[in-house]
Amino acid sequence: MQHPDPKREKLTIIVAQVFISCMMAFLMTLIFSILPFGFGPGWFATWMRHWLTAWPVAFVFSLGVGPLAFRLAFLLMHRAQNGA
């Protein structure tokens, strides 16, 4: 049985964070661009400007928050399995 390569696994997590942060920033900025302005003139340009700003910020934050979230989930699930 082949063991996973830790470097490849780490790279996979980072690539997944790129996709997740892109999709989340895309959807969140869509919602928050439509709510105050509706689909008025210029909404698409406003949305794209917000998305291009939000995506790198979301990616950087995901690098810090992601490991914390996984750790908290592990602790929660481990505690639930042990009946504590």
Side-chain angles (χ1 to χ4, degrees), residues 36-48:
F37 307 116
F39 290 103
W43 79 268
F44 186 78
T46 300
W47 172 31
M48 289 293 104

Side-chain angles (χ1 to χ4, degrees), residues 1-80:
M1 179 169 204
Q2 191 176 15
H3 295 285
D5 178 8
K7 288 182 183 178
R8 188 167 176 87
E9 293 299 314
K10 181 71 170 177
L11 181 61
T12 300
I13 290 169
I14 291 172
V15 170
Q17 287 175 319
V18 168
F19 287 128
I20 291 167
S21 63
C22 175
M23 290 183 272
M24 291 300 295
F26 188 80
L27 295 171
M28 294 297 291
T29 56
L30 171 66
I31 291 167
F32 288 114
S33 294
I34 292 172
L35 288 177
F37 307 116
F39 290 103
W43 79 268
F44 186 78
T46 300
W47 172 31
M48 289 293 104
R49 190 171 49 255
H50 290 165
W51 175 65
L52 287 173
T53 303
W55 183 13
V57 173
F59 175 67
V60 170
F61 284 165
S62 76
L63 292 175
V65 173
L68 176 62
F70 279 105
R71 189 170 298 124
L72 290 171
F74 174 80
L75 290 172
L76 179 67
M77 297 309 294
H78 184 69
R79 183 177 207 151

